[in-house]
Amino acid sequence: MNKIVKRLTSNAFITVLSLALISLSLNGCAQESLSTHVYTSDTDGKAKHPTLIEKQSTLIAKQTRLTEKQPVPGAKQSVSSTKQISVGAERYSKYLHLLAGKRVSLVVNQSALVSTRNTSPSSTVELEERQSSNSLATQLNTIKTSQRNQHLLDALLQRSINVVSIMSPEHGFRGDKGAGEKVDSNIDAKTGLPIHSLYGATKKPTTEMLEGIDVIVFDIQDVGVRFYTYLSTLHYVLEAAFARNIDVIVLDRPNPNGRYVDGPVLQSEFSSFIGMHPIPVLHGMTLGELAQMIVGEGWLGIDASSYDKAKLTVVPVGDYKRTAHYSLPVAPSPNLPNDLSIRLYPTLCFFEGTDVSIGRGTDFPFQLIGHPFVEFGKTKILVNANSAAPHPKHENTLVNAHVFNYADSINSEAFSPKPAIQEYTPINGLHIDTLIDAYSRFSEYNKGVNTSGGSEETFFTRPDFFDKLAGTDALRIQIQAGKTPAEIRQSWQKDLEKFREKRKAYLLYEDTD
């Protein structure tokens, strides 16, 4: 009898302890974040059944293992640094003295995070919960991030820096606006500071925005691709500031695609907000290095004398190697929710100029390629509008998708048979083979419909936009002419060699050559 009592008591204790741990876990997920400014955008979606969440957790873990194991063709392998890096914003001793007694404006978004390792926590606010693209991973990462980090704005205010305004780029101060969606100026609910949009009525700071400003601090996470627009925002900030004798401090962050220098160098006649400088698609530089290059090469649209009116200061990342893997602590924009999407972005973004879906409006933005009629894979994925993609390509349509690494068709359960999980080797850098293969699939499809009297499908639906992404019309013409990947790559090499030589003067970190 005593043994039975002891066993029951032990089982009861374990049950109570398990319930307590579950309760703590749930409370932890619902606890308030450290700052109103820590925000990760998710796309909308229906609530998921616990078994599906468990399944997605397994897939996410599987994706991470696959990503870490895949070799990188044609590039040095990433190395793990024994030292923990310190982003520029965390190196307060390097720049706080430059802000003392000054009226400061911040150019920031949700990515301007600093570690709370050596600082007291700021006031808290409830963390927004959403279901969405890779939602479980995104939500758990958001919770962990909010516990470890605070926004630069909060950190500077805690240190008595006189921040008087905020300027926000594409996707907004909180990074929750879709691609190309105009952002309105606003007031920050927590601090009462004005937020001036640099992706609305103007993309360049106006005289009114800069009235009374002594110094501008720029701190935004980039992904290392020329057509990612934060670089263009940096250009216009430098241009406006230097013309008005306002110093600029760039707090540098790692480039997650920093190992690659690849793609055509932009030609001036194809210059636009998605490409303003004569640099390749993958430039292998951080925004701090590019800021030095923009000023050093005289690329700003100001008089030569204006370069002497203000000072550019770049605070480098501490203990950073360009070949080291860097996983972003927060999504840099709504449709780049994880490391895989950032890795695929340099290649898949080119499909924005075509009729191919890259997953906007699905659970896998920038992680798949698909089309309603041209077959890229056996997985059927439904495209729906969401907060990250208000008007996605092929909206309310099933696409035949090739999903990179994994696919959990939670939103496709109504279809039978249920799509199988498929795995593919991830691509790295700029993968021209993927573009050429897609173009050839459209050609083959059109041959078939011509014999059956069907309608052809156009691949280059936005050729001008494709050319702006490429920085030249040569890439599109080469694809249409049937050039091989090797022939296309060879056509870039002379310009890439010149660029590599030019950029040496502006590098802050060990080069990959």
Side-chain angles (χ1 to χ4, degrees):
M1 177 65 72
N2 288 337
K3 289 182 179 179
I4 294 173
V5 170
K6 286 181 180 179
R7 186 177 298 168
L8 290 173
T9 304
S10 175
N11 289 340
F13 174 76
I14 291 171
T15 302
V16 171
L17 180 60
S18 298
L19 289 172
L21 289 173
I22 291 170
S23 175
L24 284 172
S25 175
L26 290 173
N27 287 337
C29 287
Q31 70 182 357
E32 296 176 335
S33 72
L34 293 175
S35 167
T36 53
H37 311 297
V38 178
Y39 181 93
T40 302
S41 173
D42 294 324
T43 53
D44 297 331
K46 297 179 180 179
K48 296 173 176 57
H49 191 277
T51 57
L52 292 177
I53 291 178
E54 291 169 7
K55 182 172 156 189
Q56 195 173 34
S57 298
T58 303
L59 288 165
I60 290 164
K62 195 171 186 180
Q63 174 204 12
T64 302
R65 291 195 300 271
L66 284 168
T67 301
E68 289 174 350
K69 291 179 181 178
Q70 292 299 335
V72 179
K76 288 189 176 182
Q77 299 304 301
S78 60
V79 295
S80 298
S81 175
T82 55
K83 295 182 180 179
Q84 184 173 7
I85 69 167
S86 298
V87 297
E90 294 170 346
R91 307 180 74 188
Y92 299 108
S93 63
K94 302 290 185 182
Y95 68 94
L96 282 185
H97 63 283
L98 300 175
L99 306 181
K102 303 289 181 66
R103 289 169 57 88
V104 180
S105 182
L106 302 183
V107 183
V108 289
N109 62 6
Q110 80 289 346
S111 68
L113 299 180
V114 292
S115 171
T116 57
R117 291 190 303 267
N118 301 314
T119 185
S120 57
S122 62
S123 59
T124 59
V125 62
E126 183 178 356
L127 178 69
E128 291 193 34
E129 294 183 2
R130 301 183 179 211
Q131 290 80 32
S132 75
S133 68
N134 311 70
S135 60
L136 180 67
T138 304
Q139 289 174 23
L140 292 178
N141 186 56
T142 301
I143 293 166
K144 291 177 182 177
T145 297
S146 67
Q147 293 170 342
R148 294 191 308 263
N149 301 283
Q150 67 178 156
H151 197 276
L152 176 65
L153 172 59
D154 297 327
L156 293 183
L157 291 176
Q158 285 179 354
R159 290 163 174 77
S160 301
I161 298 300
N162 185 23
V163 180
V164 297
S165 68
I166 302 161
M167 290 184 275
S168 65
E170 183 179 9
H171 307 299
F173 178 45
R174 302 194 184 283
D176 58 345
K177 303 297 183 183
E181 188 176 349
K182 299 303 179 185
V183 180
D184 295 328
S185 295
N186 210 329
I187 299 294
D188 179 46
K190 179 181 178 182
T191 63
L193 292 175
I195 303 173
H196 302 301
S197 171
L198 297 181
Y199 201 78
T202 180
K203 293 182 174 66
K204 180 177 177 180
T206 64
T207 301
E208 291 73 25
M209 293 179 188
L210 299 179
E211 188 67 36
I213 301 298
D214 301 311
V215 59
I216 295 174
V217 175
F218 186 102
D219 182 21
I220 295 177
Q221 176 65 58
D222 190 51
V223 299
V225 186
R226 186 186 63 221
F227 39 69
Y228 204 56
T229 62
Y230 297 153
L231 172 58
S232 297
T233 296
L234 173 60
H235 176 107
Y236 279 137
V237 167
L238 288 167
E239 193 169 274
F242 274 48
R244 293 171 177 81
N245 196 24
I246 298 173
D247 293 342
V248 176
I249 299 174
V250 176
L251 304 178
D252 212 9
R253 292 181 178 267
N255 175 354
N257 284 305
R259 287 172 287 161
Y260 308 103
V261 178
D262 201 6
V265 173
L266 181 136
Q267 299 171 3
S268 59
E269 59 266 38
F270 295 94
S271 179
S272 70
F273 193 67
I274 58 171
M276 302 180 69
H277 311 103
I279 61 177
V281 172
L282 283 158
H283 44 71
M285 300 174 74
T286 64
L287 286 187
E289 293 172 325
L290 283 165
Q292 294 187 154
M293 191 174 199
I294 290 169
V295 173
E297 294 297 317
W299 289 342
L300 299 176
I302 56 177
D303 294 333
S305 60
S306 295
Y307 284 93
D308 300 323
K309 291 181 179 180
K311 180 182 179 183
L312 168 66
T313 301
V314 176
V315 180
V317 182
D319 298 314
Y320 171 57
K321 294 183 179 179
R322 203 181 305 274
T323 53
H325 172 73
Y326 181 66
S327 182
L328 273 58
V330 67
S333 55
N335 284 294
L336 294 181
N338 53 31
D339 291 349
L340 177 63
S341 61
I342 291 169
R343 171 185 287 185
L344 295 169
Y345 177 75
T347 299
L348 299 198
C349 193
F350 278 100
F351 288 108
E352 301 278 51
T354 76
D355 202 37
V356 177
S357 167
I358 44 78
R360 291 188 189 273
T362 77
D363 281 351
F364 306 97
F366 283 99
Q367 295 159 83
L368 66 80
I369 50 177
H371 191 269
F373 308 115
V374 180
E375 187 171 295
F376 285 90
K378 300 297 184 182
T379 303
K380 303 285 187 182
I381 300 287
L382 181 63
V383 178
N384 277 321
N386 56 40
S387 60
H391 306 288
K393 191 183 301 178
H394 302 306
E395 185 176 354
N396 300 322
T397 304
L398 280 173
V399 295
N400 305 301
H402 173 121
V403 186
F404 295 88
N405 264 36
Y406 73 93
D408 181 22
S409 51
I410 290 172
N411 290 340
S412 303
E413 285 190 314
F415 305 103
S416 182
K418 184 176 179 180
I421 297 169
Q422 301 186 38
E423 296 176 358
Y424 298 94
T425 302
I427 59 178
N428 303 278
L430 180 53
H431 201 252
I432 297 303
D433 306 60
T434 301
L435 292 172
I436 293 175
D437 176 73
Y439 181 79
S440 66
R441 286 175 184 269
F442 270 71
S443 298
E444 289 301 313
Y445 175 84
N446 287 334
K447 287 179 183 177
V449 298
N450 281 336
T451 59
S452 62
S455 299
E456 291 189 357
E457 294 296 317
T458 302
F459 182 73
F460 289 110
T461 50
R462 303 169 66 193
D464 291 345
F465 188 72
F466 185 95
D467 293 348
K468 287 180 179 179
L469 290 169
T472 173
D473 59 1
L475 176 58
R476 176 175 53 81
I477 293 170
Q478 288 168 329
I479 292 173
Q480 291 172 319
K483 297 291 185 180
T484 66
E487 289 173 326
I488 294 174
R489 285 190 177 281
Q490 184 57 41
S491 69
W492 303 336
Q493 297 312 307
K494 189 173 294 186
D495 287 338
L496 287 178
E497 288 174 13
K498 291 179 182 177
F499 170 75
R500 283 182 179 275
E501 189 63 32
K502 181 178 291 186
R503 77 174 193 153
K504 286 181 179 178
Y506 307 106
L507 297 182
L508 297 169
Y509 317 99
E510 182 182 354
D511 201 359
T512 56
D513 291 341

